[in-house]
Amino acid sequence: MADRQDHSGMAALSICEALLLAIKDRELLPEHEIVGVLRDAAAAHETAVGNNDEKDMHQAVAFLISRIIASGYRVRQ
């Protein structure tokens, strides 16, 4: 069973995706800059410090963001 943190993460991801799509749809930022925002977020997690569990979590987040970019993030539709 998913815990509360999983639900919070899924909600945050959905909200951020909706915001990025709205930013693109309203032509406030071009797609390459939106992808740049995602790359910056991944990089922040790749360089995060902490204990081993925290580092593992940050690496997993960075990997997830990189997969979103590589899979043709929804702003490409």
Side-chain angles (χ1 to χ4, degrees):
M1 184 170 158
D3 66 15
R4 187 177 205 156
Q5 188 173 6
D6 290 340
H7 295 142
S8 296
M10 290 175 68
L13 182 60
S14 295
I15 291 165
C16 289
E17 181 181 39
L19 287 171
L20 291 174
L21 288 168
I23 287 169
K24 182 188 178 285
D25 289 346
R26 290 180 179 53
E27 298 178 354
L28 299 173
L29 286 176
E31 180 181 335
H32 75 274
E33 288 191 30
I34 293 170
V35 172
V37 168
L38 294 171
R39 286 189 180 126
D40 288 346
H45 285 282
E46 288 168 353
T47 60
V49 296
N51 64 39
N52 286 339
D53 288 339
E54 292 167 334
K55 288 179 184 177
D56 288 346
M57 184 270 306
H58 284 293
Q59 289 300 311
V61 171
F63 180 75
L64 175 60
I65 295 169
S66 295
R67 279 187 32 215
I68 290 168
I69 295 167
S71 68
Y73 183 64
R74 283 191 58 191
V75 296
R76 295 175 191 261
Q77 289 184 352

